[in-house]
Amino acid sequence: MAKVKVLFVCLGNICRSPLAEGIFRQQVAERGLSNSFEIDSCGTAAYHIGNHPDQRSVANAAKNGVHYDHFARQLSASDFDDFDYILPMDDSNMRNSISIAPVGFKAEVMKMRYFDSSEKNSDVPDPYYGGEDGFQNVFEILDRSVSSFLDYLIEKHRIN
Ligand code: 4NP
């Protein structure tokens, strides 16, 4: 069966979306489903292209048992035909993503917290200018949201 291709999107691709990618990748691996998915993340902005994730985010994730790395890249128009699902972290990144989408694109674009049963459809807050609490809050939001997103994909695509 074709792999399900998932792309997480934030602004800088150094805090929220690489963390979403890392948590999702780990949950997929724990469920023995790594061969069924292709997983990536990117940013709508170009500020941090080529950079590793923010060390505060990596350190907080490690405390929660999630280990990941990534090189930041910017969202491009071709992503809308290369991926099946594109998950922006907030309204602003949703708007900026859609603004570069090609006509008739393939991907389903859904806000990350559409899958969060508490505060459904709200934004994943940007932790960049805040303290440690903000990173833990983002971790917990993403842990819940990507878990129910994975349940949704498993059922929809009959993955086993
Ligand atoms: P992210 O966080 O979008 O979750 O990666 C940010 C990272 C960098 C900046 C803003 C948000 N920045 O302004 O450089």
Side-chain angles (χ1 to χ4, degrees):
M1 206 169 90
K3 292 188 184 202
V4 177
K5 299 177 74 173
V6 174
L7 180 65
F8 298 98
V9 182
C10 62
L11 178 64
N13 194 211
I14 55 167
C15 293
R16 292 165 292 179
S17 63
L19 178 61
E21 177 192 346
I23 299 172
F24 186 74
R25 201 181 283 288
Q26 186 154 321
Q27 291 184 4
V28 163
E30 283 166 4
R31 292 163 82 156
L33 301 175
S34 298
N35 291 334
S36 299
F37 291 94
E38 204 168 300
I39 308 161
D40 195 10
S41 66
C42 65
T44 53
Y47 321 128
H48 296 285
I49 291 173
N51 290 358
H52 288 283
D54 189 305
Q55 273 313 305
R56 296 168 296 172
S57 200
V58 171
N60 181 264
K63 275 194 210 164
N64 288 281
V66 172
H67 303 274
Y68 69 104
D69 198 6
H70 179 72
F71 288 105
R73 74 167 179 91
Q74 192 172 20
L75 179 69
S76 71
S78 59
D79 288 318
F80 289 85
D81 288 316
D82 289 343
F83 286 86
D84 301 303
Y85 296 93
I86 294 181
L87 293 118
M89 296 292 135
D90 57 26
D91 285 330
S92 160
N93 285 294
M94 170 72 96
R95 278 194 302 276
N96 290 337
S97 296
I98 292 292
S99 73
I100 65 156
V103 173
F105 64 90
K106 172 180 94 171
E108 272 189 55
V109 185
M110 302 161 100
K111 217 171 136 179
M112 181 77 264
R113 290 185 83 180
Y114 175 78
F115 295 98
D116 188 357
S117 50
S118 61
E119 293 182 62
K120 186 177 165 79
N121 261 336
S122 45
D123 288 350
V124 179
D126 182 353
Y128 190 67
Y129 295 105
E132 171 70 17
D133 286 1
F135 285 91
Q136 181 61 27
N137 184 39
V138 165
F139 183 92
E140 289 171 17
I141 290 167
L142 290 175
D143 196 38
R144 286 197 300 272
S145 302
V146 304
S147 169
S148 62
F149 176 51
L150 179 54
D151 290 340
Y152 165 85
L153 293 180
I154 287 171
E155 180 162 341
K156 183 167 172 190
H157 294 272
R158 300 178 197 283
I159 296 165
N160 52 39

